[in-house]
Amino acid sequence: MRQRAWGWNPAGRRRWAMAILLLGHLLWMALGRGASSRWQRLANLLASPPRAASAQWEAWKANRREKVSTLRQAQTDLLALRAQVTQLLTARAAEAPRVAEADEAIRLLGLKRLLPMEFRAARVIVNVRKAPFGGMIVDQGEDAGLRPDQGVIAPEGVVGRLWDVGATQSSLLPLDSYNASTGVMLARSRATGVLQGLGPGKAAIRYIGNQEVVQVGEPVFTSGLDRVFPRGLLVGYVSAVQPHDVELHVEVILAAPLDRISLVLILPAHPQMEIQPPAVPAQAPPGKQAGK
Amino acid sequence: MTNPSGAPLVRRFLLALLCLGGIHYAAPWPGPQAVLNTFLVLGLAPGFRSPLSGILWAAAGGWVLEGTLRLYPHLGGTAFGNMLTCLLAFSLLLRWPPHSLKPYWGRQAALVVIHTLLVHVSVRFAAGPHAWGTGWLWSLVLIPVWATLALRLHPPLHRK
């Protein structure tokens, strides 16, 4: 039986394939002759999904690159900041003593302006106050005109007095030494007594009669009777009161931080008993100015 | 039992593949590129046993050639002309198998002219006027080379 030329047999299928191939090319050429804009639109339409996906992929990659670079930059900055913080902490620790001394100097300057006396500033170079018969040593001596029994004060309160004056240094007897005696008075009752040291940070007032009314927390000032300190300098606060025979046993906590003090003011020898407050400059009447 | 025509078919296939690669890589030299395309269309493709295989190779050569030329319209005109010329060459080989070299040269020269005209008509139909170039002249001048090679190394399978 003879096969049909364009039937469904191998030769026919090849013929159909060739015909489709030729007609497809012819159709493609014919369609391509017109305006290309519609094909471009069609191609753009078909290409838009992969183009959008590609854009998202590129954006994701750029975002990831940026995140990685930002993270690396942040890590670098963090390391630099840590090093900087360490340097600053070291510098602050190195500067801390000087800053503390500067603060104390500022407070001393304020005290010096408040009291109308001739002070001499000194630096405490040794503090062995807690040792037996210990004391404090300041960097001023006879070369600065110092003499024994000159009072020593700090912005917080009275510190003690000069005990022994050397050529360039002096030893200082703090208020809490067992052999220290200072004339004091109570703030409310104005009763006077003698402050004697009891050990680190503590002292007791002697010679206060039983009839006096003393309250815990009451301030204690210098009385000026010992001619070492003028009247009215803060010494401490009453911490305990107990009747003892004919007198009261009054314990005092000293106001001056003797453990951490580094700068002090040395009073002149035999100061006046009363301190006159500095004169307040007269204010010009309102509406008038000086020089007019 | 092995197919006695298998080995030449494979060689023809490999040579056609080399021609396709040559067309692609000969893009900077349009003359040799046109010779390779003509050799593929008129020398190798009609030699396959099936005309479908032949026109597929011819179409592939046309598309590769159009793809390598940037200023050439990529609308299949060259492939269409290649396929028509290949079919014509295939039918000539079937009807009048070649027996000697010089008549074969003359037939190939006529086919080169027809191929050139068909390709340019197709391209003009698809994309409008375009430059002809000198590729057809290269193909004509080098007929003694590529046609002799096609007949000596790879005679058409229909002839066997």
Side-chain angles (χ1 to χ4, degrees), chain A residues 13-14 17-19 21-23 25-26 28-30 32-34, chain B residues 50-52 55-56 63 75-77 79-80 83 87 122 125-126:
Chain A
R13 284 197 288 271
R14 279 196 293 270
M18 286 191 295
L21 205 57
L22 286 167
L23 289 176
H25 273 78
L26 196 59
W28 182 256
M29 288 159 54
R33 297 182 65 212
Chain B
S50 162
L52 179 61
I55 67 167
L56 280 175
W63 281 109
L75 289 172
F80 186 72
M83 285 193 292
L87 276 180
S122 302
F125 172 71

Side-chain angles (χ1 to χ4, degrees), chain B residues 51-86:
Chain B
L52 179 61
S53 304
I55 67 167
L56 280 175
W57 279 107
W63 281 109
V64 169
L65 189 139
E66 282 193 358
T68 56
L69 301 179
R70 292 185 180 178
L71 298 179
Y72 208 64
H74 302 166
L75 289 172
T78 309
F80 186 72
N82 280 2
M83 285 193 292
L84 287 182
T85 315
C86 179

Side-chain angles (χ1 to χ4, degrees), chain A residues 70-142:
Chain A
T70 306
L71 178 64
R72 286 179 182 161
Q73 183 65 33
Q75 286 174 339
T76 308
D77 291 347
L78 183 62
L79 289 176
L81 285 175
R82 280 179 178 164
Q84 199 171 355
V85 166
T86 306
Q87 286 180 353
L88 288 175
L89 287 176
T90 307
R92 194 178 72 172
E95 292 291 329
R98 296 179 60 188
V99 171
E101 191 172 325
D103 288 342
E104 198 165 351
I106 289 171
R107 288 187 284 122
L108 275 183
L109 186 61
L111 179 65
K112 196 172 179 179
R113 284 179 179 170
L114 193 65
L115 299 176
M117 303 174 75
E118 287 296 327
F119 295 102
R120 180 167 292 279
R123 177 179 283 112
V124 177
I125 54 177
V126 175
N127 190 345
V128 289
R129 189 173 52 85
K130 291 181 181 178
F133 301 101
M136 300 160 76
I137 296 176
V138 297
D139 63 345
Q140 303 278 347
E142 288 176 349

Side-chain angles (χ1 to χ4, degrees), chain B residues 9-146:
Chain B
L9 190 62
V10 171
R11 284 204 302 268
R12 184 177 296 273
F13 179 87
L14 291 176
L15 201 59
L17 208 58
L18 282 176
C19 275
L20 276 185
I23 291 169
H24 178 75
Y25 286 108
W29 306 283
Q33 189 186 30
V35 174
L36 286 171
N37 182 46
T38 306
F39 178 55
L40 176 65
V41 172
L42 299 180
L44 295 176
F48 286 99
R49 190 175 297 280
S50 162
L52 179 61
S53 304
I55 67 167
L56 280 175
W57 279 107
W63 281 109
V64 169
L65 189 139
E66 282 193 358
T68 56
L69 301 179
R70 292 185 180 178
L71 298 179
Y72 208 64
H74 302 166
L75 289 172
T78 309
F80 186 72
N82 280 2
M83 285 193 292
L84 287 182
T85 315
C86 179
L87 276 180
L88 181 61
F90 188 85
S91 60
L92 288 177
L93 279 180
L94 275 182
R95 189 173 297 272
W96 298 291
H99 296 290
S100 57
L101 198 58
K102 288 190 179 175
Y104 184 66
W105 285 1
R107 184 199 299 182
Q108 295 298 75
L111 284 174
V112 165
V113 173
I114 292 170
H115 176 234
T116 303
L117 291 174
L118 271 176
V119 166
H120 285 284
V121 166
S122 302
V123 173
R124 187 183 180 90
F125 172 71
H130 60 281
W132 279 56
T134 56
W136 61 277
L137 197 58
W138 280 73
S139 299
L140 272 180
V141 170
L142 291 178
I143 277 177
V145 178
W146 61 263

